[in-house]
Amino acid sequence: MDLNQLTLFVAVAEGASFSSAAKKLGLPKSSVSRGIARLESSLGVQLIHRTTRRVSLSTAGQALYERVSPMLLALRKSVGELPELEEEPSGVLRLTSVVDWGTTVLAEVITRFVARYPAVKVDLHLDNRVVDLVAEGFDAALRLAIAPLKDSSLRARRLGTLSLRLYASPAYLARRSMPRHPRELSSHTWVSFRSPMPFRLVGPGETLVMPQDGAIVCDDMFFMREVLRQGAGIGFLPTMLAEPEVAEGRLVALLPKWSMPAGSVWFVSTAERHMPRKVAAFRDFLLETLKQRSFPM
């Protein structure tokens, strides 16, 4: 049975007129009349008595109206209360992010976001692996990547460029001296991040490949930052993790004209035709916050 035909029928029954039903629904009167005729044909019963002056329900029509009208009203109410149709974002927002970026940036962003949108509950998972958003039920992810995603089932919005620079502690530099050029780095003790890709240091007019066989090798940037603070050697860190330490005097930035391009941070969501309101609101809020605060990437 066609719900549109039932909607036409209820409108005619309540207005006792084809004309008023057509006006209420924004349809031509002929369309309303044809819809009622098709409904009667499909049910095999006359629902409405028509005269030149008035419209009235038959016994079957009255019975159908009493049963159908409350159900259509409940259906409209249920659809209207869907979170995505509400003015304010609401519901559970499931996010996943790489650990270091999520910890340093998202803590403040999410705190402010739920304060602005109290009907949204954020469920954040910090994980450095590439999560399957659809299979694992996530609304969006914060990912680090060199280039935009090629997966056509996802959409990506670039948030900013991530850059890495070389750092060491004042205690280490007091023992080993400050390097003035990357070629001097070969004589220093390295703390290396485990990666299948070579670390390329880009500077004025040249690019140099840096060693990856450090005295300490790890796969976590927070651990890397801590051992560098402890004086273990020289290593790369994202500026967002290291610059607060530089400001406090616990780390020193080396070779200011040299850095390692490390791709971009992307906001990734499923490529739905209509992005859920809670997801769009968080994306826009994140972009707004990053712009206002100028987080070092």
Side-chain angles (χ1 to χ4, degrees), residues 1-10 31 34-36 38-40 42-43 47 64 68 72 75:
M1 187 175 296
D2 191 333
L3 286 179
N4 290 324
Q5 293 174 1
L6 290 176
T7 301
L8 293 177
F9 167 72
V10 169
S31 297
R34 284 195 300 271
I36 298 299
R38 291 192 187 99
L39 179 61
E40 290 177 324
S42 67
L43 294 175
L47 300 173
L64 180 64
V68 168
L72 287 179
L75 181 61

Side-chain angles (χ1 to χ4, degrees), residues 1-289:
M1 187 175 296
D2 191 333
L3 286 179
N4 290 324
Q5 293 174 1
L6 290 176
T7 301
L8 293 177
F9 167 72
V10 169
V12 171
E14 291 177 344
S17 165
F18 283 87
S19 298
S20 64
K23 184 177 180 181
K24 178 181 179 181
L25 298 173
L27 296 171
K29 181 180 176 182
S30 59
S31 297
V32 176
S33 180
R34 284 195 300 271
I36 298 299
R38 291 192 187 99
L39 179 61
E40 290 177 324
S41 176
S42 67
L43 294 175
V45 65
Q46 185 174 4
L47 300 173
I48 294 175
H49 296 301
R50 306 163 179 81
T51 68
T52 55
R53 295 186 177 182
R54 63 190 298 258
V55 168
S56 61
L57 297 179
S58 67
T59 302
Q62 185 64 38
L64 180 64
Y65 174 75
E66 290 174 358
R67 289 165 173 77
V68 168
S69 179
M71 290 189 288
L72 287 179
L73 180 62
L75 181 61
R76 285 195 296 270
K77 186 173 184 295
S78 297
V79 171
E81 290 176 350
L82 285 174
E84 304 313 331
L85 298 180
E86 295 177 358
E87 259 187 54
E88 287 295 309
S90 62
V92 177
L93 176 64
R94 296 194 75 233
L95 300 174
T96 178
S97 171
V98 290
V99 177
D100 48 10
W101 203 87
T103 302
T104 54
V105 177
L106 290 186
E108 178 183 349
V109 173
I110 289 175
T111 299
R112 293 175 58 192
F113 178 75
V114 295
R116 178 181 291 188
Y117 300 109
V120 178
K121 176 182 177 182
V122 176
D123 182 6
L124 175 66
H125 294 245
L126 296 176
D127 198 327
N128 286 332
R129 67 186 177 90
V130 177
V131 173
D132 186 325
L133 297 186
V134 176
E136 300 184 44
F138 285 99
D139 294 302
L142 285 304
R143 291 183 180 170
L144 304 181
I146 301 297
L149 302 170
K150 296 180 180 179
D151 188 341
S152 61
S153 67
L154 301 174
R155 64 169 71 176
R157 176 73 178 268
R158 183 177 171 276
L159 298 176
T161 300
L162 185 73
S163 63
L164 287 83
R165 290 184 56 188
L166 285 168
Y167 297 91
S169 71
Y172 173 84
L173 294 173
R175 297 195 312 268
R176 300 292 298 273
S177 77
M178 174 78 74
R180 304 298 176 184
H181 190 277
R183 292 189 180 88
E184 299 175 18
L185 295 173
S186 60
S187 62
H188 282 267
T189 302
W190 277 84
V191 177
S192 301
F193 188 81
R194 185 177 298 113
S195 171
M197 302 295 292
F199 285 82
R200 302 183 185 277
L201 194 59
V202 179
E206 61 181 321
T207 299
L208 301 174
V209 177
M210 294 293 100
Q212 293 178 273
D213 54 346
I216 299 174
V217 180
C218 65
D219 58 3
D220 183 88
M221 286 294 182
F222 285 102
F223 178 83
M224 170 90 78
R225 183 178 67 178
E226 186 59 31
V227 295
L228 291 179
R229 284 174 51 179
Q230 296 296 326
I234 289 174
F236 285 104
L237 282 175
T239 53
M240 64 181 183
L241 288 183
E243 290 305 313
E245 303 296 317
V246 173
E248 295 293 330
R250 291 187 287 266
L251 288 176
V252 176
L254 310 179
L255 305 172
K257 296 182 179 180
W258 296 77
S259 64
M260 176 188 168
S264 298
V265 182
W266 300 86
F267 181 88
V268 183
S269 60
T270 54
E272 299 174 352
R273 183 177 179 183
H274 300 291
M275 179 178 284
R277 193 177 299 274
K278 61 189 177 184
V279 179
F282 182 76
R283 177 203 61 197
D284 295 344
F285 186 85
L286 179 58
L287 287 165
E288 171 191 324
T289 305

